[in-house]
Amino acid sequence: MSTKGGEFRFAFRQSIPVLFGYIALGLGYGLYMHNLGFSFIYPTLMALTIYGGSVEFVIANMLIQHFQPLNVLLVTLVVGFRQFFYALSMLKQYRRAGWRKWLLIFGLTDETFVLNYYSTVPKGYDRTQVQLWITLLDWFYWVLGAFLGGFLGSILHLQIEGLDFVMTALFIVLALDQFLKEDSHISSFSGIAITIICLLSFGKTYFLVVTLLLLVLEYYLLTKRRQKGAQK
Amino acid sequence: MTIIQQIISISIAAIANFLTRVFPFLIFDHNKNGSDEISPFIEGLGKFLPPAIMGMLVVYCFRNVNFLSGTHGLPDIIATVITVLIHLWRRNMCLSLLVGTVSYILLVNFIF
């Protein structure tokens, strides 16, 4: 039985929350660039090539200042730092995906990562194919949102305030599902606690970087302790 | 900034952003001793991190909420509680997202 269409339909259903979230956020981003004085080509092409919401907002702002390529590089690496750990967690799932691997890696945004990492597919479906469709759909939603925001610009007043909460709700629900089925809550609790502490102490720009480094340190110490325990 | 400089800036951002995503695949995809296995530490880290990252992203969504003044983040808190309760009750992701988001939209537009 061919499941080609089935995989696409399944992926589409999984991606619906991101559809609403990315259109809402993408509209906001396109509108933001429009208000900075850019043609719709800019947000559309940046959404297509950079494909990272938080990076694009910062770069949009840097484009209206004087030319500072080194700063662009550093800022992108700092803001995109967390994606390194998404890729690290996806290493095992994606490494054997052949040519599809590169698209899957390119599309590793926050939302696509959480959808794809925890995805379970019906029997007979190719999981990698479902993940690829989810990746491509999410990418498309983001580009579409950015295009619409930039193109319609000030004509558009149908922005619904609060629609972007769908993304927060998506993370809450996925975190809750994960929390309910895991044996040990140490990782979940650490993630929440360390992020709150880092947000309060380091501020909005660097807290994710520090959080992730501390989580790696925590894992290192945990494995060390476990090894010591095993030797005794 | 000239258009060439803008194109250079955007290209740098695009390449750097892709690098953060592709880097683990370039350095950890094989062991030092040449075997095809991922090192146990990296593999373990890849299993340990995702639940923590989920928690991190939830907190990240609230980074712009001001709990000390204005509405004290009440719309966010109420909508979060509603989302969690609905999800614990029905375990239906679509329903939880729909009810949570609609209640947030109603809260910020009509109540606060």
Side-chain angles (χ1 to χ4, degrees), chain A residues 24-207:
Chain A
L25 279 180
L27 274 175
Y29 161 65
L31 202 63
Y32 178 77
M33 282 207 81
H34 172 85
N35 292 337
L36 288 178
F38 289 102
S39 132
F40 72 92
I41 297 170
Y42 281 81
T44 313
L45 281 183
M46 282 167 69
L48 199 66
T49 56
I50 302 175
Y51 189 39
S54 31
V55 172
E56 286 165 48
F57 270 101
V58 187
I59 301 303
N61 229 308
M62 296 180 89
L63 287 182
I64 54 170
Q65 299 161 27
H66 60 93
F67 188 45
Q68 40 185 341
L70 194 65
N71 259 348
V72 170
L73 178 69
L74 290 177
V75 164
T76 308
L77 292 178
V78 169
V79 179
F81 185 72
R82 62 182 186 271
Q83 299 165 162
F84 175 89
F85 295 92
Y86 303 166
L88 194 151
S89 307
M90 277 302 190
L91 206 54
K92 208 166 176 180
Q93 293 189 39
Y94 284 176
R95 61 199 294 247
R96 305 236 185 267
W99 64 271
R100 298 180 289 186
K101 181 168 108 174
W102 306 105
L103 279 169
L104 290 164
I105 294 171
F106 170 78
L108 266 179
T109 58
D110 300 340
E111 292 75 14
T112 309
F113 167 67
V114 292
L115 281 184
N116 278 347
Y117 186 85
Y118 290 113
S119 65
T120 44
V121 298
K123 237 184 157 171
Y125 282 26
D126 175 2
R127 185 174 181 208
T128 309
Q129 194 58 36
V130 171
Q131 289 172 325
L132 184 68
W133 279 126
I134 290 178
T135 303
L136 293 174
L137 283 166
D138 288 356
W139 188 22
F140 173 70
Y141 302 149
W142 177 249
V143 175
L144 182 67
F147 163 75
L148 287 175
F151 187 67
L152 301 173
S154 49
I155 315 163
L156 193 93
H157 287 294
L158 44 84
Q159 282 215 87
I160 305 170
E161 202 200 335
L163 182 59
D164 52 348
F165 189 82
V166 67
M167 224 68 105
T168 307
L170 175 69
F171 290 138
I172 291 171
V173 167
L174 289 172
L176 190 60
D177 276 338
Q178 161 65 26
F179 189 84
L180 292 170
K181 71 170 185 227
E182 66 194 7
D183 300 323
S184 155
H185 295 312
I186 183 159
S187 176
S188 297
F189 279 138
S190 307
I192 294 170
I194 294 176
T195 314
I196 293 175
I197 294 166
C198 287
L199 176 60
L200 296 175
S201 7
F202 298 99
K204 278 187 235 169
T205 316
Y206 296 106
F207 76 109

Side-chain angles (χ1 to χ4, degrees), chain B residues 20-109:
Chain B
T20 62
R21 291 167 177 163
V22 81
F23 211 58
F25 287 85
L26 303 179
I27 50 175
F28 299 131
D29 202 11
H30 41 76
N31 239 337
K32 276 194 203 99
N33 57 29
S35 85
D36 199 31
E37 297 300 309
I38 310 166
S39 98
F41 180 77
I42 295 301
E43 199 179 327
L45 188 61
K47 279 195 190 120
F48 174 77
L49 283 179
I53 288 173
M54 292 298 310
M56 180 186 89
L57 287 171
V58 171
V59 178
Y60 177 76
C61 289
F62 292 96
R63 73 195 179 285
N64 292 320
V65 179
N66 190 343
F67 292 99
L68 299 176
S69 61
T71 60
H72 300 276
L74 273 177
D76 299 81
I77 295 168
I78 297 169
T80 299
V81 171
I82 291 175
T83 309
V84 170
L85 289 181
I86 289 277
H87 197 64
L88 287 176
W89 181 39
R90 304 310 298 252
R91 298 285 168 91
N92 178 335
M93 181 155 136
C94 285
L95 184 76
S96 313
L97 294 181
L98 191 71
V99 175
T101 308
V102 169
S103 44
Y104 185 76
I105 292 172
L106 295 176
L107 283 167
V108 291
N109 286 292

